Amino acid sequence: MAEVTPLFETYARAPLRFERGEGVWLIAEDGTRYLDFAAGVAVNSLGHAHPHLVSALKEQAEKVWHLSNLYEVPGQEKLAARMTAATFADKVFFTNSGAEALECAIKTARRYHFAKGQPEKFHIITFEGAFHGRTLATIAAGGQAKYLEGFGPKAPGFDQVPFEDLAALKAAINEDTAAILIEPIQGEGGIRVASKEFLQALRALCDEHGLMLIFDEVQTGIGRTGKLFAYEATGIAPDIMAVAKGIGGGFPLGACLATQEAAVGMVAGTHGSTYGGNPLAMAVGNAVLDVVLEDGFLEHVRDVALVFRQGIASLQDRFPDVIEEVRGEGLMLGIKAKVPSADLLKAIRAQKLLAVPAGENVIRLLPPLTTTAAEAREGLARIERAAEQLTSVKHKASA
Ligand SMILES: *Cc1c(COP(=O)(O)O)cnc(C)c1O
């Protein structure tokens, strides 16, 4: 530790070394068990070592790992058919990550206008606090200075307006605008939930101006909010949607979904990926859907979400000096801290519970969708002990 590392030093890692996982638990090299409500940042949607995912991966590993997109890949056709049957979309392009799913979404929106004879329409409006990934285009889309600094000129064609500011949005739309891109719930930004009314207004504006509406459901998708996708709760649908994280359950997998109309410009040769839709990823993605689409699964997510919601609300009542606000939907929960959120995160970790930092002094709880009510209550008890500890420290300091 603290010696020269052969790794790029791009991450501020916690000094924890995990050896294996079992469901909602991560087990460190020294045997310590942690309740994992970080879930690899909403990736381990079915927890660790889920038997159905393990057997799907093993079975595929013994057949063929990789084919490339020179050939037909039956797993892609199966997963795409299931994803289009379950959503607004007609077409799917598979990627290996969230940022690549966004890249495909951005290219699809621009290419749509190109195909319609309006190549000047390539600007995409995004929202302050957004996070869409770390490629050169997606840092431009996210618009956050801390991710853009030092990487040369910001990629052109991204205009940003404040979150939920309809007047600013209307003012930003012009003849160059191609699309509006939004996370229905900002994840990295601090679990900021876009209101249903705002999202409906975006749909109406896109229809009025002939724009593509793009939802980034990389974090909110695949049951995280208690619906298969967050847009289902809004009464509207986007034209294009980026998906990743939970769909792979831990295997690198993303997807860009679009309506037939929106995908009109994405003809042969316009886009590609060597690994995208690789048989191993398809086997796991299909296995994740086997579980998430099972009768009653999303109902389970909503039931457990309620246990969390009520539990955190009562902790907020008891520890108003520690917890300021509870945010989010389903199992995408944010605790806005009254103390520095890093202190709360550390106190929670000391109770062997893992969570994820976010913007606006929020910590995120993103437990596996398979978390039981009993495991949720165990997590709440640990947060309670952390809050007690922080409160007593505070009282000592002021005594
Ligand atoms: C994580 C995330 C991304 C980027 O995904 P990567 O797989 O890290 O490239 C994009 N958008 C949202 C909303 C995310 O949460």
Side-chain angles (χ1 to χ4, degrees):
M1 279 260 313
E3 289 147 31
V4 177
T5 165
L7 295 169
F8 265 42
E9 294 177 51
T10 49
Y11 300 111
R13 300 172 195 271
L16 294 171
R17 299 173 82 90
F18 296 110
E19 196 171 56
R20 71 206 156 79
E22 288 167 8
V24 74
W25 297 94
L26 269 178
I27 298 111
E29 286 176 353
D30 67 1
T32 312
R33 292 171 70 87
Y34 285 77
L35 197 48
D36 183 13
F37 287 178
V41 194
V43 165
N44 301 105
S45 46
L46 305 185
H48 300 281
H50 190 287
H52 186 59
L53 302 198
V54 171
S55 72
L57 186 59
K58 275 187 176 164
E59 205 176 290
Q60 186 60 49
E62 283 166 3
K63 289 187 193 159
V64 62
W65 289 23
H66 182 74
L67 289 167
S68 86
N69 289 299
L70 294 169
Y71 315 110
E72 294 179 0
V73 181
Q76 287 188 19
E77 286 159 19
K78 181 176 174 190
L79 186 53
R82 297 170 85 187
M83 291 181 85
T84 53
T87 64
F88 71 92
D90 307 306
K91 297 278 188 190
V92 182
F93 181 94
F94 290 110
T95 70
N96 314 291
S97 68
E100 287 169 283
L102 265 304
E103 291 272 347
C104 180
I106 292 162
K107 288 176 79 173
T108 301
R110 289 181 174 179
R111 210 42 214 191
Y112 165 83
H113 293 286
F114 175 86
K116 299 272 162 185
Q118 297 188 292
E120 73 285 357
K121 283 187 178 290
F122 69 91
H123 280 249
I124 296 175
I125 300 176
T126 68
F127 296 89
E128 285 173 17
F131 181 80
H132 299 297
R134 298 292 207 108
T135 61
L136 289 167
T138 55
I139 55 175
Q144 299 207 37
K146 65 178 175 182
Y147 296 145
L148 285 160
E149 189 184 25
F151 295 116
K154 183 180 151 203
F158 295 96
D159 306 319
Q160 199 160 56
V161 297
F163 195 63
E164 290 256 345
D165 187 336
L166 204 54
L169 174 64
K170 283 180 181 164
I173 295 173
N174 60 38
E175 55 279 9
D176 298 338
T177 308
I180 298 172
L181 164 60
I182 189 165
E183 298 157 83
I185 302 175
Q186 287 190 345
E188 308 288 320
I191 312 291
R192 294 162 84 197
V193 183
S195 71
K196 191 171 158 177
E197 295 69 30
F198 187 66
L199 295 172
Q200 289 172 346
L202 296 191
R203 179 71 271 173
L205 279 172
C206 285
D207 291 342
E208 184 187 334
H209 296 275
L211 312 179
M212 294 280 103
L213 181 58
I214 309 171
F215 275 14
D216 178 349
E217 292 230 28
V218 168
Q219 201 164 140
T220 51
I222 313 296
R224 181 56 51 191
T225 65
K227 300 272 187 194
L228 187 59
F229 290 101
Y231 81 81
E232 293 169 34
T234 65
I236 56 117
D239 303 292
I240 301 171
M241 178 166 75
V243 178
K245 294 201 164 102
I247 180 68
F251 200 94
L253 170 58
C256 173
L257 282 67
T259 62
Q260 176 95 37
E261 171 74 356
V264 68
M266 299 302 275
V267 296
T270 51
H271 197 45
S273 165
T274 297
Y275 289 119
N278 153 310
L280 294 173
M282 295 300 99
V284 179
N286 273 304
V288 167
L289 280 197
D290 290 343
V291 176
V292 172
L293 294 178
E294 238 167 52
D295 262 359
F297 185 84
L298 293 174
E299 202 176 345
H300 161 82
V301 172
R302 294 191 287 269
D303 288 347
V304 174
L306 204 61
V307 174
F308 270 108
R309 202 62 195 218
Q310 290 172 343
I312 302 171
S314 92
L315 292 179
Q316 181 190 358
D317 289 342
R318 285 183 47 212
F319 302 101
D321 294 347
V322 178
I323 299 175
E324 184 176 323
E325 194 193 339
V326 188
R327 301 173 169 187
E329 288 291 338
L331 292 179
M332 185 171 178
L333 293 162
I335 299 177
K336 186 168 168 62
K338 207 58 174 279
V339 296
S341 59
D343 293 355
L344 181 56
L345 200 64
K346 227 171 123 187
I348 285 174
R349 194 188 297 149
Q351 301 300 327
K352 311 292 181 256
L353 175 67
L354 304 171
V356 189
E360 297 200 329
N361 208 41
V362 167
I363 69 166
R364 276 178 283 178
L365 301 180
L366 303 163
L369 307 181
T370 45
T371 302
T372 63
E375 288 161 343
R377 280 190 284 271
E378 176 59 35
L380 289 162
R382 292 173 189 223
I383 297 171
E384 178 179 1
R385 291 202 291 275
E388 268 164 6
Q389 207 113 65
L390 286 169
T391 309
S392 72
V393 169
K394 231 181 173 177
H395 288 170
K396 260 183 222 149
S398 57

